[in-house]
């Protein structure tokens, strides 16, 4: 019995599945989860003292790597000053001004403590603003675990036979679901329900069921149908925001959403989320307007100061361009390294994130396109990589993240390990 097995057995006795978020339990890959004690740069260190190169990066927040020096200093300083006031402070103002001055469609912003709270609150605003009830989301997109959004979701629900959660009652009855990459289906949904749709909520870069970049025409159809029907457009940029670039996917697509949700990167690895958008819509939020939304630990100073430190560090060192370049180069090298295998592997990449899956041919745009043998392949690949010192997110449906701490020498070592792991898993 390893130290990990032992800790997992104890964890299962006191917590459901032994974890506090489902994917961590290694259900998709089998075996006991690795227990980590420390993170530094691109490295995680297990409780047994073993180092691995990390491509999970806390599922996205750590654009600068683990324990980045600037973020560490900001968090230490915040703790020295007392870590929660439940009152007005200048730190959330500084982060709000920084974001609002750089993201034109974020005219005003409200901080919350998670991505889940951000999407949940944005929906409330959209329903209040339009007086409509229905929400349209897409099959395979994940928006956190608010009841109304646990329908055909991705992330920890990806690959589940029942694609939604028990216990949500009729909270999801007003949630419409359309397939990704299907303009006809979109038009049909709007023809049937357009006048009752409060908002379309989407991951502008779907990244919770593998990485499924969408076509321009699909984005354009959504924008057009929203504006002709009066539905609001909500971009869930919890993963893509401040990762694919300072303006997220909205900037890359040149689409101006009515509301935008942030999380992950904006807290520098601390529990911070936010929703933002049009001045008039954000004016509906209490105490200015009738939409109630509050939080005891909202805008927690540690998260605010750490988040601002992370974002300013990225800006100062042209970090988004560097991260994008590094990802593109690494993905190209991966494709080359994996080309000789018997079973073809595809490497999908966008700035700061990538996804390796079995199969080739047309780029995947829907969850249904993922080959049936991918899950079994990933199980073997994941463990073979871990044996060689590389830690991927423990699910075939979770994307991998790069940070600025993934330097060339780290990526060289990772490449060798991945080549070896893929060769071993190729026998499957
Ligand atoms: C992670 C994620 C969320 C949920 O954020 P939490 O902080 O885990 O609540 C919402 N939307 C997207 C796109 C995400 O990737």
């Amino acid at each position: 019995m390893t130290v990990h097995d032992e800790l997992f057995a104890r964890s299962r006795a006191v917590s459901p599945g032994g974890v506090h978020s489902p994917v961590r339990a290694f259900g998709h890959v089998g075996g006991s989860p690795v227990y980590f004690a420390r993170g530094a740069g691109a490295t995680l260190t297990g409780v047994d003292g073993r180092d691995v190169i990390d491509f999970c990066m806390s599922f996205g927040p750590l654009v600068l790597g683990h324990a980045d020096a600037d973020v560490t200093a900001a968090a230490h300083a915040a703790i020295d000053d007392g870590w929660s006031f439940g009152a007005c402070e200048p730190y959330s103002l500084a982060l709000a001004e920084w974001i609002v001055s750089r993201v034109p469609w974020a005219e005003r912003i409200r901080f919350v403590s998670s991505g889940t709270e951000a999407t949940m609150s944005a929906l409330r605003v959209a329903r209040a603003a339009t007086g409509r009830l229905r929400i349209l989301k897409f099959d395979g997109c994940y928006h956190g675990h608010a009841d109304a959004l646990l329908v055909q979701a991705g992330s920890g629900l990806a690959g589940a036979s029942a694609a939604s959660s028990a216990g949500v009652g009729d909270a999801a009855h007003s949630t419409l679901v359309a397939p990704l990459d299907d303009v006809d289906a979109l038009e049909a949904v709007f023809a049937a329900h357009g006048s009752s749709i409060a908002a379309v909520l989407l991951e502008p870069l779907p990244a919770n069921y593998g990485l499924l970049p969408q076509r321009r025409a699909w984005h354009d159809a959504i924008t057009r149908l929203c504006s002709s029907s009066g539905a609001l457009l909500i971009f869930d940029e919890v993963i893509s925001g401040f990762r694919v670039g300072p303006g997220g996917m909205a900037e890359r697509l040149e689409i101006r959403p009515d509301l935008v949700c942030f999380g992950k990167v904006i807290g520098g690895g601390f529990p911070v989320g936010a929703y933002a958008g049009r001045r008039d819509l954000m004016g509906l939020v209490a105490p200015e307007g009738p939409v109630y939304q509050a939080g005891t630990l909202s805008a927690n100073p540690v998260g605010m100061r750490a988040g601002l430190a992370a974002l300013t560090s990225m800006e100062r060192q042209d970090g988004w361009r560097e991260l994008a370049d590094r990802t593109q180069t690494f993905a190209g090298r991966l494709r080359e390294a994996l080309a000789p295998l018997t079973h073809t592997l595809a490497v999908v990449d966008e700035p700061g994130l990538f996804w390796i899956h079995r199969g080739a041919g047309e780029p995947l745009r829907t969850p249904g396109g993922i080959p049936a043998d991918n899950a079994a392949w990933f199980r073997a690949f994941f463990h073979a990589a871990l044996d060689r010192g590389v830690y991927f997110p423990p699910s075939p449906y979770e994307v991998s993240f790069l940070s600025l701490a993934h330097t060339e020498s780290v990526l060289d070592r990772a490449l060798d390990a991945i080549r070896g792991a893929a060769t071993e898993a190729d026998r499957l």
Side-chain angles (χ1 to χ4, degrees), residues 267-294:
F270 288 85
V272 178
Y275 59 107
R278 270 167 42 192
R279 168 165 294 276
D280 60 320
L281 295 175
M282 295 305 289
L284 295 170
V285 178
E288 200 168 306
V291 177
Y292 195 71
Q293 185 276 308

Side-chain angles (χ1 to χ4, degrees), residues 47 111 209 323:
V47 290
F111 291 113
Y209 216 121
L323 190 61

Side-chain angles (χ1 to χ4, degrees), residues 271-415:
V272 178
Y275 59 107
R278 270 167 42 192
R279 168 165 294 276
D280 60 320
L281 295 175
M282 295 305 289
L284 295 170
V285 178
E288 200 168 306
V291 177
Y292 195 71
Q293 185 276 308
T296 303
L297 295 174
S298 286
N300 174 264
V302 184
M304 296 292 106
R305 292 167 77 169
L308 185 61
L311 295 176
T312 51
S313 167
M314 286 295 282
E315 188 174 68
R316 196 169 55 239
Q317 55 181 312
D318 206 2
W320 285 291
R321 183 188 313 208
E322 176 62 29
L323 190 61
D325 288 350
R326 243 182 248 189
T327 314
Q328 194 175 35
T329 306
F330 184 58
R333 294 181 67 199
L334 272 177
R335 276 183 207 107
E336 228 168 83
L338 303 178
L341 300 172
T342 310
H343 301 280
T344 312
L345 294 179
V347 180
V348 191
D349 71 292
E350 294 286 331
L353 62 171
F354 65 97
W355 180 49
I356 307 175
H357 68 87
R358 224 176 214 193
E362 289 291 295
L364 296 187
R365 302 194 193 280
T366 63
I370 302 172
D373 64 357
N374 188 57
W377 165 78
F378 184 78
R379 200 176 254 264
F381 172 71
F382 172 86
H383 285 289
L386 188 55
D387 287 346
R388 290 166 175 79
V390 172
Y391 182 72
F392 281 101
S395 159
Y397 307 106
E398 300 285 351
V399 297
S400 295
F401 294 99
L402 246 70
S403 75
L404 291 186
H406 290 79
T407 56
E408 204 171 311
S409 72
V410 169
L411 292 175
D412 283 348
R413 279 189 287 132
L415 191 75

Side-chain angles (χ1 to χ4, degrees), residues 59 113-117 119 142-145 155 203 207-208 236-239 263-264 272:
F59 291 101
S113 300
S114 67
T116 296
E117 282 181 79
T119 58
Y142 179 70
H143 303 290
H145 65 89
S155 189
E203 287 182 75
N208 274 289
D236 178 350
E237 300 235 40
V238 171
I239 280 191
K264 301 197 167 103
V272 178

Side-chain angles (χ1 to χ4, degrees), residues 45-418:
T45 305
V47 290
D48 53 1
R50 185 170 178 260
D51 286 345
V52 293
I53 296 172
D54 182 20
F55 284 113
C56 182
M57 300 313 285
S58 192
F59 291 101
L62 305 174
V63 267
L64 295 163
H66 292 279
D68 170 76
D70 290 340
V71 179
T72 302
H76 281 168
I79 285 177
D80 287 344
D81 289 338
W83 46 87
S84 190
F85 312 147
C88 291
E89 31 62 45
Y91 312 113
S92 57
L93 171 62
L95 183 57
E97 284 180 341
W98 193 94
I99 292 172
V100 164
S101 67
R102 282 154 180 85
V103 182
W105 42 98
E107 292 173 351
R108 293 203 287 177
I109 188 165
R110 167 63 64 85
F111 291 113
V112 291
S113 300
S114 67
T116 296
E117 282 181 79
T119 58
M120 187 178 78
S121 308
L123 290 191
R124 196 177 296 148
V125 171
R127 284 170 164 164
T130 57
R132 300 172 178 183
L133 194 57
R134 287 198 166 102
I135 299 297
L136 175 62
K137 77 175 284 290
F138 296 93
D139 185 4
C141 283
Y142 179 70
H143 303 290
H145 65 89
D147 287 356
L149 296 171
L150 284 178
V151 197
Q152 286 171 266
S155 189
L157 291 166
S161 50
S164 54
S165 169
V168 302
D170 59 9
H173 274 185
S174 305
T175 307
L176 303 166
V177 183
L180 289 167
D181 190 40
D182 190 338
V183 172
D184 292 343
L186 207 53
E187 275 167 357
V189 171
F190 271 89
H193 304 292
S195 62
S196 62
I197 298 176
V200 177
L201 173 64
L202 67 145
E203 287 182 75
L205 176 62
N208 274 289
Y209 216 121
L211 189 54
L212 305 170
Q214 298 296 297
R215 294 174 217 267
R216 179 78 226 180
W218 182 78
H219 283 290
D220 289 343
I222 292 174
T223 311
R224 169 170 53 79
L225 291 164
C226 279
S227 80
S228 63
S229 69
L232 299 182
L233 178 61
I234 308 177
F235 271 15
D236 178 350
E237 300 235 40
V238 171
I239 280 191
S240 50
F242 303 104
R243 173 165 287 276
V244 302
M249 284 302 290
E251 179 176 57
R252 295 183 73 211
L253 293 164
E254 297 182 315
I255 293 174
R256 194 180 171 106
D258 297 296
L259 291 167
V260 56
C261 301
F262 295 118
K264 301 197 167 103
V265 173
I266 62 162
F270 288 85
V272 178
Y275 59 107
R278 270 167 42 192
R279 168 165 294 276
D280 60 320
L281 295 175
M282 295 305 289
L284 295 170
V285 178
E288 200 168 306
V291 177
Y292 195 71
Q293 185 276 308
T296 303
L297 295 174
S298 286
N300 174 264
V302 184
M304 296 292 106
R305 292 167 77 169
L308 185 61
L311 295 176
T312 51
S313 167
M314 286 295 282
E315 188 174 68
R316 196 169 55 239
Q317 55 181 312
D318 206 2
W320 285 291
R321 183 188 313 208
E322 176 62 29
L323 190 61
D325 288 350
R326 243 182 248 189
T327 314
Q328 194 175 35
T329 306
F330 184 58
R333 294 181 67 199
L334 272 177
R335 276 183 207 107
E336 228 168 83
L338 303 178
L341 300 172
T342 310
H343 301 280
T344 312
L345 294 179
V347 180
V348 191
D349 71 292
E350 294 286 331
L353 62 171
F354 65 97
W355 180 49
I356 307 175
H357 68 87
R358 224 176 214 193
E362 289 291 295
L364 296 187
R365 302 194 193 280
T366 63
I370 302 172
D373 64 357
N374 188 57
W377 165 78
F378 184 78
R379 200 176 254 264
F381 172 71
F382 172 86
H383 285 289
L386 188 55
D387 287 346
R388 290 166 175 79
V390 172
Y391 182 72
F392 281 101
S395 159
Y397 307 106
E398 300 285 351
V399 297
S400 295
F401 294 99
L402 246 70
S403 75
L404 291 186
H406 290 79
T407 56
E408 204 171 311
S409 72
V410 169
L411 292 175
D412 283 348
R413 279 189 287 132
L415 191 75
D416 285 342
I418 293 170

